[in-house]
Amino acid sequence: MKRITIGTAGHIDHGKTALVKALTGIDPDRLKEEQERGITIDIGFADLTCGDTHFGLIDVPGHERFVKNMLAGAHGIDVVLLIVAADESVMPQTREHFEICRLLEVKSGIVVITKIDLADGELLELVETEIADFVKGSFLESAPVVRVSSRTGAGIEELKRALGRLGATVGARDERAVPRLPIDRVFTIKGFGTVVTGTLISGSILAGDELELLPSAGRRMRARGIQVHGNAVKEARAGERTAINLQGIEVEEIARGQVLAPAARLVTTPMIDVRLHYLASAPRPLRRRARVRLHLGTAEILARVVLIGAAELAPGASTFAQLRLESPTLALPGDHFIIRSYSPSITIGGGIVLDPMPQKHRAREAVPKIETLERLAAADEPGRIGIFVDMAGEYGISDAELAARSGASNETIARVGEDMTRQRRAVIIPGNPPRFLAKAFFDDLLKKARTLIREYHQKAPLDAGMAREEVRERLFARLNPEIFRAVISHGISRGEIVTEKDLLRLSTHRIELSPQEQAAKNHLAELYARAALRPISLDEAITQAGPQLGIDSQRAQRFAQMLINSGELVRIADLVFHQSAIEELKSALRRFKIEHSPRIDVGAFKELTGVSRKYAIPLLEYLDRQRVTRRVGDAREIL
Ligand SMILES: Nc1nc2c(ncn2[C@@H]2O[C@H](COP(=O)(O)OP(=O)(O)OP(=O)(O)O)[C@@H](O)[C@H]2O)c(=O)[nH]1
Ligand SMILES: [Mg+2]
């Protein structure tokens, strides 16, 4: 059976509670004060089945002072019963409640004219005409209008039939989305402990699920038992009035306005970007940074409205805005909200959440911000996820962050991620957790890296390349290290970048020497070739050769490094030898092995090469590493 939640709306004393009682036999006024004063103060609950639909009914107070309570019930309803008393017709809270339903985008409803026993036919006609005018152009324009008297019972059966028909047309809420239960009541039941109730606005909750209370300092608890309209169930589904018996938390720790959600899934936010409609009935233009009461779910939070791209907002106009909250709350894209003026508390507008985790809005960024918000406002859920990936820019965004920002299910996020990578709109950066990075930003990072390396080549044409670490620091310092790795690997795989030791260079980079430079470099090499195993330090060689060649020591140093990079010179500890000298040494050792012995000690080595002990040791250690010799005690075995 389909289960939906329906709410009453209408002016004080118009017979909302009496109608709920007439329909269900349940008196939703449960407070002593309500019974005594004969008015509803807080939301009350009842339920009934009409046709194939089970309705959870929320009865709201009509008194203007309790609109705040009305909102705690109205946020979760699918259908409204707009109640107008025949003897009074449309009154101030009829208007306010109706505006609220419109702002919350309640899908459908029924207009109920109550107290028909107090009005004659002519008056009823007049009231109906007034109502038709009132709902014109709204979601109730072609809604059924039912005349009832809760006193005589007239019209009640007809209303039930109308409800049955309407129930069949209302679409189900999304049961696969992340479950959220905005809490509207908390109490204890003897022998059970803490119980919370609310309208489950999305997803489903199973008995035994681990839940988290938001906002709270990460309070986790288990759903010990679940009831829907007084019956124990294994699972509560989206759209149902739900009561959950919580294990591991006291009543004092919970209040209306908090939300139950799966543990470690969603996060609260201090600001939200929204589409805001300012009611034509608002008394004056809305100023930038106006302080308002934000009603979101069952929560009421003080907030400032930062208008985006406008200095003020005229009554009846709409805009994008950033709501800066005085205390954090849970919000997801698509959530509807209401704003009321700080004092006096009257409903002035409302709208829809577009981005629950925006950057702080700055006036000079208004144009790109508006473009992004327009895209978000027009997007469906997968589209939204794609836009959040784009918005994350070069930082990328993990799937957990996407889940918290979009409220989408894991399956949806995974599917969108696959689609985006297939369409080359995003890349997945491996890591823990993996991150989605918009392809445009990924490509841009690679381009920036190429430009940086190219500039380096221009400045230092004789260098083999730029230190990898320097590239990382200059471009990727604030980014996840895996992003750097992925971007550079991509450049390498495309053959644009070459990595050598800890240097990066463009594959097109060639060290071009002038004839004079080439001559100097050759001279330097010759100097070492002639020195053979007589060690000369690089500094020595440079001072020897430099002045003669007419190049400065820095340049000579570069040439030496180039010769070392190309293998023509070999650096051993702080000594440099020409490759030919090393080859010559290897042959001398081979001859020694044949002519004398497979073993050579340091003394014999010094004699063979003519080097002092100070240089013999590093040379021998080098030969050991090259597996030309192997150390045996103090001597060497020639391999
Ligand atoms: N004659 C007549 N009286 C009615 C009818 N329905 C309600 N009343 C009376 O109207 C008064 C207000 O009814 P409620 O049902 O409490 O009105 P309400 O809209 O719930 O009022 P609030 O919750 O305070 O906004 C009560 O005294 C009811 O007995 C009706 O159909 N006919
Ligand atoms: Mg009432």
Side-chain angles (χ1 to χ4, degrees):
M1 182 174 289
K2 187 189 279 180
R3 294 179 183 276
I4 62 180
T5 299
I6 180 168
T8 59
H11 197 70
I12 184 166
D13 248 6
H14 276 201
K16 297 181 291 298
T17 303
L19 178 67
V20 170
K21 221 163 48 181
L23 278 170
T24 66
I26 301 166
D27 184 356
D29 278 350
R30 63 205 143 78
L31 303 175
K32 195 161 156 252
E33 196 188 344
E34 289 174 328
Q35 305 283 358
E36 281 168 8
R37 290 169 62 184
I39 62 163
T40 303
I41 294 169
D42 204 354
I43 44 179
F45 309 94
D47 67 294
L48 87 158
T49 301
C50 302
D52 292 327
T53 308
H54 188 90
F55 291 92
L57 243 154
I58 302 182
D59 181 41
V60 307
H63 196 296
E64 61 177 324
R65 275 186 43 218
F66 306 134
V67 174
K68 169 186 161 144
N69 292 341
M70 178 266 181
L71 286 167
H75 81 91
I77 64 175
D78 300 302
V79 173
V80 65
L81 289 178
L82 182 67
I83 285 153
V84 182
D87 57 340
E88 284 196 337
S89 191
V90 174
M91 295 288 281
Q93 269 62 54
T94 322
R95 293 182 187 283
E96 188 169 7
H97 286 193
F98 179 58
E99 289 290 12
I100 287 168
C101 290
R102 292 182 78 174
L103 289 166
L104 295 176
E105 293 190 88
V106 173
K107 293 180 207 89
S108 56
I110 297 174
V111 177
V112 187
I113 301 175
T114 55
K115 307 197 185 183
I116 56 166
D117 55 302
L118 299 181
D120 58 21
E122 212 173 308
L123 184 60
L124 278 172
E125 290 300 317
L126 200 69
V127 170
E128 267 201 22
T129 313
E130 247 184 79
I131 292 173
D133 246 23
F134 177 60
V135 300
K136 204 164 171 202
S138 79
F139 70 102
L140 287 182
E141 176 158 14
S142 40
V145 179
V146 184
R147 301 174 176 192
V148 304
S149 166
S150 303
R151 181 148 300 167
T152 66
I156 296 295
E157 286 312 310
E158 191 195 333
L159 178 56
K160 286 185 183 171
R161 283 194 296 274
L163 275 169
R165 284 194 298 273
L166 187 66
T169 67
V170 175
R173 284 179 175 251
D174 190 355
E175 286 180 24
R176 287 161 313 168
V178 177
R180 280 186 296 156
L181 185 82
I183 293 168
D184 53 36
R185 276 195 304 161
V186 194
F187 49 89
T188 25
I189 294 181
K190 239 190 166 151
F192 277 98
T194 306
V195 175
V196 298
T197 69
T199 307
L200 186 61
I201 54 172
S202 60
S204 67
I205 295 179
L206 287 166
D209 277 357
E210 201 195 5
L211 302 172
E212 184 173 347
L213 190 64
L214 292 148
S216 79
R219 273 308 251 126
R220 307 255 175 103
M221 65 223 70
R222 212 163 275 287
R224 185 190 302 178
I226 301 179
Q227 284 195 357
V228 172
H229 300 299
N231 300 313
V233 292
K234 281 203 185 71
E235 181 181 25
R237 293 172 309 174
E240 291 181 337
R241 286 293 311 166
T242 304
I244 302 186
N245 177 207
L246 294 172
Q247 191 174 24
I249 193 157
E250 299 301 317
V251 164
E252 297 71 35
E253 298 176 75
I254 312 177
R256 174 179 288 179
Q258 285 172 308
V259 182
L260 275 181
R265 175 82 198 193
L266 301 175
V267 292
T268 59
T269 175
M271 58 188 159
I272 48 184
D273 279 358
V274 302
R275 174 96 197 150
L276 174 68
H277 178 70
Y278 193 50
L279 287 178
S281 57
R284 67 187 72 84
L286 187 68
R287 291 182 337 283
R288 249 188 95 79
R289 303 189 64 84
R291 195 170 188 226
V292 299
R293 298 169 188 278
L294 166 69
H295 292 264
L296 181 63
T298 55
E300 180 194 17
I301 301 141
L302 292 174
R304 298 237 174 231
V305 184
V306 176
L307 301 172
I308 298 178
E312 59 173 36
L313 189 61
S318 295
T319 187
F320 292 117
Q322 182 159 83
L323 304 180
R324 307 249 172 93
L325 315 184
E326 292 183 17
S327 57
T329 194
L330 182 62
L332 285 178
D335 284 355
H336 290 88
F337 66 89
I338 295 295
I339 57 168
R340 308 191 80 218
S341 52
Y342 180 68
S343 179
S345 297
I346 52 167
T347 302
I348 52 172
I352 189 163
V353 174
L354 298 175
D355 183 0
M357 280 154 216
Q359 299 280 318
K360 204 166 196 173
H361 168 64
R362 294 182 204 291
R364 61 190 144 79
E365 298 158 349
V367 173
K369 181 117 204 179
I370 289 171
E371 278 166 15
T372 307
L373 291 173
E374 261 160 8
R375 280 177 69 201
L376 275 175
D380 58 4
E381 190 176 60
R384 214 146 47 212
I385 294 170
I387 295 168
F388 288 147
V389 172
D390 291 342
M391 287 172 81
E394 56 187 25
Y395 293 93
I397 187 166
S398 71
D399 51 3
E401 287 164 339
L402 272 179
R405 193 162 175 177
S406 68
S409 66
N410 291 344
E411 297 73 49
T412 305
I413 290 170
R415 185 162 46 74
V416 174
E418 273 168 32
D419 287 351
M420 288 184 79
T421 39
R422 192 154 26 78
Q423 297 158 5
R424 300 187 182 284
R425 285 180 50 214
V427 287
I428 295 178
I429 307 292
N432 189 20
R435 302 180 83 75
F436 295 99
L437 200 83
K439 186 74 166 63
F441 286 93
F442 184 83
D443 290 346
D444 192 52
L445 281 171
L446 178 54
K447 199 171 144 201
K448 281 183 183 156
R450 285 198 319 256
T451 306
L452 186 69
I453 299 171
R454 180 175 312 113
E455 284 166 4
Y456 184 87
H457 289 327
Q458 279 157 6
K459 264 185 281 172
L462 301 184
D463 270 16
M466 185 169 180
R468 190 184 170 91
E469 190 50 27
E470 198 186 334
V471 177
R472 195 190 67 75
E473 261 171 33
R474 294 272 297 275
L475 284 183
F476 298 83
R478 290 175 312 157
L479 307 185
N480 196 297
E482 270 105 14
I483 296 178
F484 171 59
R485 239 167 274 152
V487 168
I488 297 300
S489 312
H490 189 60
I492 292 169
S493 73
R494 286 175 41 145
E496 295 169 352
I497 294 177
V498 176
T499 174
E500 239 168 39
K501 295 179 192 154
D502 38 13
L503 297 181
L504 296 175
R505 64 173 164 88
L506 296 187
S507 56
T508 50
H509 176 59
R510 299 278 176 276
I511 300 177
E512 306 263 343
L513 298 183
S514 68
Q516 190 217 5
E517 286 170 328
Q518 189 60 52
K521 188 180 147 201
N522 291 347
H523 183 80
L524 198 66
E526 267 164 39
L527 204 70
Y528 277 98
R530 277 206 302 275
L533 290 181
R534 182 175 58 82
I536 46 174
S537 73
L538 195 55
D539 284 348
E540 236 178 286
I542 289 164
T543 37
Q544 268 182 39
Q548 201 182 337
L549 294 169
I551 55 168
D552 56 28
S553 111
Q554 203 189 357
R555 199 82 80 78
Q557 184 110 33
R558 285 258 164 74
F559 293 152
Q561 189 58 50
M562 282 168 70
L563 289 164
I564 290 168
N565 289 345
S566 70
E568 199 171 344
L569 295 186
V570 181
R571 188 200 290 274
I572 297 171
D574 52 355
L575 305 173
V576 176
F577 299 97
H578 196 271
Q579 177 62 27
S580 62
I582 301 294
E583 286 311 317
E584 179 49 39
L585 173 60
K586 288 181 188 167
S587 333
L589 281 170
R590 278 194 292 274
R591 280 200 303 278
F592 185 92
K593 183 178 176 180
I594 296 163
E595 288 167 16
H596 298 280
S597 142
R599 279 196 171 208
I600 187 165
D601 60 17
V602 177
F605 184 77
K606 275 163 62 185
E607 212 166 293
L608 181 74
T609 57
V611 301
S612 68
R613 184 182 176 86
K614 187 173 159 202
Y615 302 127
I617 301 298
L619 265 176
L620 278 167
E621 282 170 357
Y622 169 78
L623 292 168
D624 290 345
R625 281 198 302 277
Q626 297 287 307
R627 301 190 195 288
V628 176
T629 55
R630 184 168 61 217
R631 189 177 176 152
V632 184
D634 277 343
R636 293 296 195 286
E637 182 188 343
I638 302 168
L639 300 171

